Each structure stands twice: as C-alpha cells, then as structure tokens.
Amino acid sequence: MNKIVIIGGSKGIGSAILLQQLENNFIYNISRSAPDISHPNLIHFSVDVLRDALPEIEAIDTLIYCPGSINLKPILNLSIDDFRLDFEINVIGAVKVIQHYLPALKKGNNPSIVLFSTVAVKLGMPFHSSIAVAKSGVEGLVKSLGAELASLVRINAIAPTITETSLSASMLRNDRMKENMVERHPMKNYLKAQEVAQMANYLISDKAGSISGQIFQMDYGLVTFKL
C-alpha cells in the first residue's frame, strides 16, 4: 500500500484522484477544507498551504499538487496582485510542498510528483495572461526538476482543457455554455475530473516508470487540431 500526499484533495480533480486511489493506498489530504468522506485509509490535515506550516510525514511514495486558479480578465483589468496571487497558488505553493516533502519522497517506492498546468500555456487564449504565466512556471519547474531529480524522483504535469469542477462552474453554468464548450473542441467534448484523475493514476504507477519531465496535454484536440 503506497502513501500518497494530495494537496487539494477535497474538491475537483484532487477529489477525483483521492476517491480513485483510496481503496488501495493510504492518502494524506492537505487542504483548507476536509473531503466529504471518511475512510480508514484517509488522514486529513486542515492547512492553508501558502500560509501555514506543512505537516511532517515520514516516507511517502507520491506527491500530487492540485491547487489552481481560473482568473480570466483582460490585461488592463488584471492587477499586479492578481498576477502575484496566481503565481503563488500555482508555482510557489508547489515549490513549497516539494521542498518540504522531497526528503520523504526520496525514501519512497518509485517516488513521483504530479503537478497541473493548462492548455493555455501552449495555445494563446484571450484573457488567460495571468494563469498562462503561472502555469508556464509550473511547466518550467517540471522540466528543471525532472533533470535535477532524474535518478531519484519522477515529476510530470497534466495540462487539461476546461474540466467540469467547481472551479470552472461559472464557465459551464448552463446548457448553452456547455454546448458552446463542446463545439470549441475538435473532438466535441470537454473533460470530467475523473478522466484527469485516470491520467494522474497512470503517471504515479509503476507503468510510467520511464516517464519524467513531461507535460501531458488532455485537450480533446483543442491544441493539436484545426478543423
């Protein structure tokens, strides 16, 4: 039974990963709110990752950092504090937890880290400047740490298109908006949290033992195809 630390496993993609991994692994969830589930394989720590001290955990096999933001505004409506906060949530938070748990990961079995980017890094999209800047930092971190930790810990990132979670609820708040989002994607769909969780499940498994420093696009063709 592996030990998995999930940062932000109470909602969205993090919750989907937690639920899919819970039966066969021991999960430490670290987030401000507790998951809506109790289980003998789950320990929750109520922590604000950006402000609070992180709990000490001995020897872990996987670290998954899920916090993110969707702050979509024209550039003139974004303040410097908006850019700073998005960078702190997406990059500084990830750096903080990696630095804290790296010694424990080095004691783990086939240790790995999974972070999250966005399709907006590869595909220029209006109103995405703040989040694209932040997630570009995530992708740079994956590449650099992948090389630095090549013989010790694997690290990869998933870059999803819009995913149906509470974070994206305002963009999918009615049937018309959902239909428009489907039509935007060449493969005529957008993501559910469970699909993204399945990719994370693969990346932390022994089946992905040869993979590190990679960014995996889950985009229903949005970045790759033009029809």
Side-chain angles (χ1 to χ4, degrees), residues 28-46:
Y28 299 92
N29 179 63
I30 300 173
S31 59
R32 289 178 294 181
S33 58
D36 295 327
I37 183 175
S38 60
H39 193 281
N41 291 352
L42 174 64
I43 291 180
H44 168 71
F45 297 96
S46 292

Side-chain angles (χ1 to χ4, degrees), residues 14-212:
S15 175
I17 297 170
L18 185 151
L19 291 173
Q20 290 181 18
Q21 289 288 334
L22 196 53
E23 289 302 319
N24 298 314
N25 298 285
F26 198 89
I27 309 294
Y28 299 92
N29 179 63
I30 300 173
S31 59
R32 289 178 294 181
S33 58
D36 295 327
I37 183 175
S38 60
H39 193 281
N41 291 352
L42 174 64
I43 291 180
H44 168 71
F45 297 96
S46 292
V47 171
D48 183 329
V49 169
L50 293 180
R51 294 171 177 81
D52 301 334
L54 294 168
E56 298 298 330
I57 302 172
E58 186 70 24
I60 62 175
D61 304 296
T62 298
L63 174 64
I64 304 175
Y65 185 84
C66 301
S69 53
I70 301 180
N71 190 10
L72 308 184
K73 298 178 185 176
I75 184 68
L76 293 180
N77 290 352
L78 285 165
S79 67
I80 295 300
D81 283 342
D82 287 325
F83 278 90
R84 185 176 289 114
L85 180 58
D86 282 337
F87 195 82
E88 290 223 344
I89 292 169
N90 292 281
V91 181
I92 301 301
V95 170
K96 179 180 176 181
V97 299
I98 290 170
Q99 287 181 329
H100 185 78
Y101 290 117
L102 188 56
L105 277 165
K106 289 179 179 179
K107 300 175 185 176
N109 175 42
N110 185 24
S112 63
I113 300 169
V114 174
L115 306 180
F116 285 89
S117 182
T118 172
V119 293
V121 172
K122 294 289 191 295
L123 179 66
M125 302 172 72
F127 314 127
H128 283 68
S129 57
S130 182
I131 189 60
V133 165
K135 292 299 192 182
S136 294
V138 171
E139 295 197 7
L141 183 64
V142 167
K143 295 291 184 181
S144 181
L145 285 186
E148 182 176 336
L149 304 175
S151 64
L152 301 170
V153 180
R154 296 186 301 109
I155 178 169
N156 295 288
I158 300 169
T161 187
I162 188 168
T163 306
E164 193 166 24
T165 66
S166 58
L167 195 63
S168 64
S170 65
M171 303 170 68
L172 299 167
R173 61 181 178 270
N174 57 50
D175 289 342
R176 181 171 171 274
M177 295 180 80
K178 291 179 180 180
E179 289 169 8
N180 288 341
M181 197 61 71
V182 165
E183 289 303 313
R184 283 190 64 195
H185 292 78
M187 294 170 69
K188 304 307 178 190
N189 208 344
Y190 55 84
L191 287 166
K192 304 298 187 289
Q194 292 75 15
E195 294 175 80
V196 185
Q198 288 165 4
M199 174 62 84
N201 294 342
Y202 172 71
L203 291 175
I204 68 176
S205 73
D206 290 341
K207 296 176 183 178
S210 65
I211 300 172
S212 190

